[in-house]
Amino acid sequence: MEFPNCTVVDHPLVKHKLTLMRRAETSTASFRALLQEISLLLAYEAFRDLKLRDEEIQTPMAKTVAPVLDGKKLVLVAILRAGQGILDGMLQLVPSARVGHIGLYRDPETLAAVEYYYRVPGQLADRDVVVCDPMLATGNSAVAALQRLKRNKPGSVRFVCLLASPEGLTNLREHHPDVHVYTAAIDERLDEHGYIIPGLGDAGDRLFGTK
Ligand code: URA
């Protein structure tokens, strides 16, 4: 299946690290470290089209004109709680980014997203926003988070996840065709509980060691 709204970052390092993360026996510490490392690599791709402007600088040798990032500071928004793992990796690459959090949980019966927390930097207009959540499964949380975020009128929005399902990508595209997704892999399907198969289990539990 083709997903025009999605870029799969299929670099060998990303693939290798993702396989380590999928393994059931991988420790919490390793899982956390690997998620940070992959997130940095995903961010590298997600930020490929950031605008630049030329600035005149002085090197130890000569004056020259060199590119620097243009525009306002980036905004990274983590969907709690597992999105924090991606955020930590991305912040290594863009340490001056502003940070927001959106708290959503999945109703276990309906799998619908329920919001319990929302705090993002003010004045999102003209800012590039990246929403982070490791698992794009049903896509319901992502759709709800993006709907809420768009009320603050961000300049542009991208979505970065570790794994996506075909169902989640279709759902996201239907509701937010303007939001491009960057992921390490698109897996086969969802199970009856909305988990990604083969996936890697519950990303939050594996990241925080809560199971
Ligand atoms: N959330 C997870 O943590 N894992 C899945 O497979 C689906 C949703």
Side-chain angles (χ1 to χ4, degrees):
M1 216 189 284
E2 293 284 306
F3 295 101
N5 58 332
C6 180
T7 298
V8 178
V9 182
D10 60 351
H11 190 285
L13 283 174
V14 172
K15 287 185 174 184
H16 177 78
K17 288 175 191 295
L18 178 58
T19 300
L20 299 181
M21 293 185 77
R22 287 185 191 274
R23 284 188 178 144
E25 67 270 24
T26 297
S27 70
T28 300
S30 300
F31 189 91
R32 199 176 285 154
L34 287 160
L35 183 56
Q36 280 202 22
E37 290 166 16
I38 293 191
S39 302
L40 191 147
L41 298 168
L42 293 176
Y44 181 75
E45 196 55 42
F47 295 141
R48 181 173 284 283
D49 62 350
L50 287 184
K51 289 193 184 58
L52 297 168
R53 68 182 154 77
D54 282 338
E55 199 171 275
E56 196 172 298
I57 60 163
Q58 172 79 55
T59 78
M61 309 304 289
K63 271 202 165 110
T64 188
V65 172
V68 291
L69 288 176
D70 195 19
K72 297 194 177 152
K73 296 256 182 325
L74 294 167
V75 177
L76 308 180
V77 176
I79 300 182
L80 296 173
R81 61 185 167 140
Q84 187 66 41
I86 294 211
L87 182 71
D88 290 341
M90 293 183 100
L91 278 173
Q92 289 181 24
L93 200 64
V94 281
S96 59
R98 304 291 191 245
V99 171
H101 291 93
I102 301 180
L104 296 165
Y105 68 87
R106 281 207 301 185
D107 183 304
E109 300 287 312
T110 63
L111 302 186
V114 183
E115 182 185 311
Y116 64 88
Y117 187 77
Y118 184 81
R119 187 100 167 100
V120 302
Q123 296 169 350
L124 287 190
D126 304 331
R127 288 195 194 264
D128 294 314
V129 179
V130 181
V131 177
C132 323
D133 192 2
M135 310 298 272
L136 182 63
T138 62
N140 292 341
S141 302
V143 166
L146 291 166
Q147 257 157 14
R148 178 65 185 86
L149 191 68
K150 283 182 176 178
R151 281 165 41 196
N152 291 84
K153 308 237 179 302
S156 75
V157 188
R158 292 153 234 236
F159 190 89
V160 171
C161 59
L162 183 63
L163 286 183
S165 72
E167 295 90 334
L169 285 169
T170 303
N171 190 5
L172 204 70
R173 188 167 175 224
E174 268 169 29
H175 291 90
H176 300 285
D178 55 312
V179 176
H180 200 82
V181 178
Y182 297 85
T183 186
I186 303 174
D187 271 9
E188 282 164 30
R189 63 182 173 86
L190 297 180
D191 73 3
E192 63 279 19
H193 305 291
Y195 276 79
I196 296 178
I197 305 296
L200 46 73
D202 187 301
D205 280 341
R206 297 204 60 191
L207 182 63
F208 298 113
T210 39
K211 209 161 203 178

